[in-house]
Amino acid sequence: MNAKRPTILIPGRINGRVRTRVEAEFDAISIDAADAALLDAEARAKVDGIASGTTIDAGFIDAFPNLSIIANFGVGYDAVDARHAATRGVMVTNTPDVLSDEVADTTVGLLLNTLREFPKAEAYLRAGRWAAEGAYPLTSLTLRGRTVGIFGLGRIGLAIARRLEAFGLPIHYHSRTKRSDVEYPWHDSLAGLAKAVDTLIVVVPGGPATEKAVDAGILDALGPNGVLISIGRGSTIDEEALIAALSERRIAAAGLDVFADEPNVPQALMDLPNACLLPHVASASVSTRNAMADLVVDNLAAWLDGRPAITPVPECAGLDRKPT
């Protein structure tokens, strides 16, 4: 590391381990939100990097004349204008791989909870109803005999597919391009995938290309025995259409870990008995979040020391070296 320690800006909330390491290894500046007006021109000129878990738009990027890297906490980075950053020669990194297994494990758990109602069964026991009323009612849904479609067969999607393949389930997928390293049937449209399966797992990132991609038409294609599981970004689901489909039993059930306006979950969704809801916890274990935090800071350290970024996002992969 150079004799002069780089200055890292932390806008808004960030994982505690990220903050601790940044404050120990760099000169750190913290502000309450990603609002450049919270800093004067002198402070903005000092900023070499940003460690972030919030929205970083083009205007915020442009406010820092010496900005070199934005290290995003999370594999999804749709909140960061990476295309604009690339035009400025600013590296953007994310935290892939280190959370793939945890998220895949959670997805399988959410699927089982949605089908077999395990959280409800535990609540039934704890309320004393087993002793008072007898056995918990048989579940109408099961994992047995299902065909799974994965919307987005990237790192996490593939980890989910491998787990469900071990359950003896056939796997189909839709992504922008067909993978050459798997034999799962590929569908060139999401509608085609939904028609071919009865269990749809949505893993794609957010952004304009996937905004409300799962709409009423996709849900109807999934059918009355269909189950939707969403663990990518809440913006990919048309929540009004989903609420209607669940209420009218046009699909059987849904399990969601992500929502369009977190942490605000529509009351109509919470009221549905055939919806299993989690508060965005797919990667929320201490060990996984620590690994994500370390990757954020390790990316900052590498790039600001003149070394390649460890995990550049695709928009910035061509930079992959500190500008001189």
Side-chain angles (χ1 to χ4, degrees):
M1 190 76 65
N2 297 329
K4 176 186 175 298
R5 298 210 309 178
T7 296
I8 304 300
L9 175 67
I10 303 175
R13 295 180 179 180
I14 195 74
N15 173 273
R17 188 180 178 96
V18 173
R19 183 178 297 278
T20 297
R21 282 197 57 188
V22 165
E23 291 175 349
E25 299 173 34
F26 305 95
D27 290 336
I29 300 175
S30 294
I31 54 178
D32 291 337
D35 180 358
L38 296 175
L39 296 169
D40 60 26
E42 182 179 357
R44 293 197 299 270
K46 292 179 180 177
V47 172
D48 299 295
I50 295 174
S52 179
T54 190
T55 299
I56 305 294
D57 61 22
F60 192 71
I61 293 169
D62 288 342
F64 301 94
N66 297 308
L67 180 63
S68 183
I69 179 173
I70 302 164
N72 181 72
F73 182 85
V75 64
Y77 59 95
D78 46 294
V80 179
D81 193 336
R83 291 187 183 278
H84 183 73
T87 67
R88 281 272 319 274
V90 175
M91 170 58 67
V92 177
T93 63
N94 64 343
T95 58
D97 297 324
V98 293
L99 51 67
S100 296
D101 285 332
E102 197 78 77
V103 174
D105 292 346
T106 304
T107 303
V108 174
L110 178 57
L111 174 59
L112 287 169
N113 283 349
T114 302
L115 294 167
R116 295 298 319 284
E117 303 177 8
F118 294 138
K120 291 181 181 180
E122 181 180 4
Y124 184 90
L125 178 153
R126 289 180 178 276
R129 296 181 64 188
W130 186 17
E133 302 175 33
Y136 183 79
L138 302 180
T139 57
S140 61
L141 300 175
T142 177
L143 191 61
R144 297 300 91 216
R146 288 194 163 267
T147 300
V148 175
I150 298 180
F151 179 24
L153 200 69
R155 295 178 180 91
I156 295 172
L158 186 58
I160 294 167
R162 297 303 192 201
R163 283 159 172 74
L164 293 178
E165 188 178 16
F167 278 77
L169 303 179
I171 309 295
H172 296 233
Y173 74 101
H174 165 64
S175 56
R176 284 177 295 182
T177 56
K178 184 178 182 180
R179 294 186 64 136
S180 60
D181 58 343
V182 299
E183 296 183 357
Y184 308 134
W186 174 73
H187 297 264
D188 61 6
S189 71
L190 178 56
L193 176 66
K195 289 177 183 177
V197 304
D198 54 24
T199 306
L200 180 62
I201 300 177
V202 182
V203 197
V204 289
T210 60
E211 181 81 16
K212 295 185 178 180
V214 179
D215 57 16
I218 298 301
L219 295 170
D220 285 341
L222 196 56
N225 192 43
V227 172
L228 174 71
I229 302 294
S230 178
I231 52 88
R233 279 289 185 265
S235 61
T236 63
I237 310 296
D238 183 334
E239 287 185 352
E240 289 187 6
L242 176 60
I243 290 167
L246 289 168
S247 299
E248 297 163 12
R249 299 286 174 162
R250 300 197 329 268
I251 67 169
L256 311 175
D257 183 51
V258 290
F259 304 89
D261 181 28
E262 296 178 359
N264 303 303
V265 179
Q267 187 63 47
L269 193 54
M270 290 194 283
D271 290 342
L272 288 167
N274 51 346
C276 184
L277 311 176
L278 296 177
H280 202 151
V281 296
S283 66
S285 70
V286 171
S287 62
T288 294
R289 291 293 173 86
N290 282 349
M292 293 166 64
D294 287 338
L295 187 51
V296 167
V297 182
D298 291 347
N299 267 303
L300 290 169
W303 188 253
L304 293 171
D305 196 37
R307 293 176 280 121
I310 301 167
T311 51
V313 303
E315 293 87 342
C316 299
L319 303 175
D320 206 27
R321 187 170 301 281
K322 181 181 176 183
T324 57

